[in-house]
């Protein structure tokens, strides 16, 4: 890609053929003051609630929506959590299987030598006014170092090639909260 237009994690596939979100009943604390955008990495905090991930930490998976009953007692379904929402009966949806593969745009140019390497998120909690994540794939960490995402291959798209200014790659979670970490190759 020649233009920087990161849109967070886009779930692509699972070896089973089905990419399914897990349901986290009560997964977001009512009034939680940080937006959770569609396609953003989220972390399960020690409080038992989902929170926006930060750079250089283990993460659970990709946020993909929420249902809740709002302050007017109306049931709501949304692809993102608006910061400060006061609600009850909250159910968060997260793609948390460590085998799921995602597309994500890098903040710079990547080559085929990137396969097996890892990187952390850039702006993991950022998003746009439409509720979509603008998280991106950061600088490669190098062999023997732990990053948040592992490069599997180039994302197949006619406008995407190794060496482009903002390469889009296929990645997996390299720091999943329920699975032991494995460093970059």
């Amino acid at each position: 890609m020649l233009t920087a237009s990161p849109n967070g994690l886009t779930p692509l596939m699972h070896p089973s053929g089905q990419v399914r979100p897990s349901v986290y009943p009560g997964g977001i604390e009512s009034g939680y003051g940080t937006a959770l955008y569609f396609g953003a990495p989220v972390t399960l905090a020690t409080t038992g609630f989902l929170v926006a991930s930060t750079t250089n930490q283990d993460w659970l998976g990709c946020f993909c929506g929420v249902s809740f009953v709002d302050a007017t007692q109306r049931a709501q379904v949304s692809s993102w959590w608006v910061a400060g929402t006061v609600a009850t009966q909250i159910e968060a949806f997260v793609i948390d299987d460590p085998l799921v593969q995602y597309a994500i745009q890098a903040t710079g140019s990547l080559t085929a030598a990137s396969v097996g390497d890892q990187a952390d998120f850039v702006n993991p909690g950022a998003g746009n006014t439409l509720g979509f994540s603008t998280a991106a794939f950061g600088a490669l960490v190098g062999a023997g170092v732990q990053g948040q995402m592992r490069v599997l291959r180039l994302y197949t798209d006619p406008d995407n090639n190794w060496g482009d200014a903002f390469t889009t790659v296929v990645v997996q979670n390299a720091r999943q909260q329920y699975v032991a970490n494995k460093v970059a190759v």
Side-chain angles (χ1 to χ4, degrees):
M1 301 287 181
L2 300 176
T3 306
S5 56
N7 57 354
L9 295 161
T10 302
L12 296 177
M13 63 101 34
H14 183 276
S16 71
Q18 297 289 326
V19 176
R20 296 184 179 151
S22 295
V23 179
Y24 286 79
I28 303 171
E29 186 174 16
S30 178
Y32 178 57
T34 302
L36 297 176
Y37 298 99
F38 184 87
V42 291
T43 299
L44 186 61
T46 57
T47 59
F49 293 111
L50 296 168
V51 296
S53 293
T54 60
T55 299
N56 195 25
Q57 75 170 152
D58 292 354
W59 56 290
L60 181 65
C62 173
F63 186 77
C64 58
V66 61
S67 67
F68 57 90
V69 174
D70 67 16
T72 66
Q73 299 306 305
R74 292 187 182 173
Q76 303 287 333
V77 176
S78 178
S79 61
W80 66 304
W81 174 262
V82 176
T85 300
V86 175
T88 60
Q89 299 177 38
I90 300 167
E91 289 188 327
F93 305 97
V94 178
I95 297 171
D96 59 1
D97 190 310
L99 297 179
V100 171
Q101 297 176 12
Y102 306 92
I104 190 166
Q105 188 178 51
T107 57
S109 181
L110 297 174
T111 67
S114 305
V115 174
D117 207 337
Q118 298 178 9
D120 287 337
F121 288 102
V122 172
N123 300 321
N128 62 34
T129 57
L130 299 174
F132 293 97
S133 171
T134 55
F137 184 89
L140 296 170
V141 296
V145 181
Q146 185 66 57
Q148 290 177 295
M149 297 166 283
R150 173 182 306 105
V151 178
L152 300 177
R153 64 183 175 280
L154 179 71
Y155 177 67
T156 305
D157 184 291
D159 295 327
N160 186 54
N161 295 292
W162 290 120
D164 282 354
F166 303 98
T167 314
T168 299
V169 289
V170 177
V171 300
Q172 273 183 325
N173 188 340
R175 288 189 67 172
Q176 214 276 350
Q177 287 184 285
Y178 296 144
V179 178
N181 297 338
K182 188 77 173 166
V183 297
V185 179

